[in-house]
Amino acid sequence: MHILLRSTLALSVLGMAACDEIAVANDPEALAELRGQKTCVAAVAKETGASGVALNTTIPIVELNRFIVDVPNAASWTCVTDQNGKAIEIVERRTG
C-alpha cells in the first residue's frame, strides 16, 4: 500500500514539474530561469547533503544567471548558471 501511495505521489510531483516547463516553453529566458532555479537547488542539495534546500526569494539579485540558495541551519550559497539554466558554479556565502 505504501509503495503505491509513494509512486502516485512521485508521479504527481513529476507532473507538476513538467507543467512548470510547459507553461514557459515559448519563452526561452523564462525557461532558462526556471531550469536555473531547479538545477541550483539540486546542486546545493547534492553538495551539502541537506534536505529542505530552497531558493531564497528575499535577497534581491540583479545579475543574470545567479541565484541564492538557502540551506536549513547553515550558510546560504550563491549559484551561477549557464545560458540554458544549468548550474555551473556554487559558492558558500560568507557573512561577517
Side-chain angles (χ1 to χ4, degrees), residues 75-76 92-96:
S76 295
E92 187 175 9
R93 295 171 56 93
R94 307 276 180 193
T95 58

Side-chain angles (χ1 to χ4, degrees), residues 5-80:
L5 181 59
R6 284 184 181 171
S7 297
T8 303
L9 181 60
L11 287 174
S12 297
V13 170
L14 287 174
M16 287 180 2
C19 289
D20 289 347
E21 290 201 15
I22 291 171
V24 295
N26 293 327
D27 184 347
E29 290 178 15
L31 184 58
E33 175 90 4
L34 179 64
R35 287 180 177 163
Q37 293 171 4
K38 290 178 182 180
T39 64
C40 283
V41 168
V44 171
K46 181 178 178 183
E47 178 68 24
T48 62
S51 61
V53 175
L55 196 67
N56 181 303
T57 58
T58 61
I59 299 173
I61 305 292
V62 294
E63 296 93 352
L64 295 175
N65 305 327
R66 289 192 173 38
F67 302 92
I68 304 296
V69 181
D70 292 335
V71 178
N73 303 315
S76 295
W77 291 66
T78 298
C79 177
V80 179

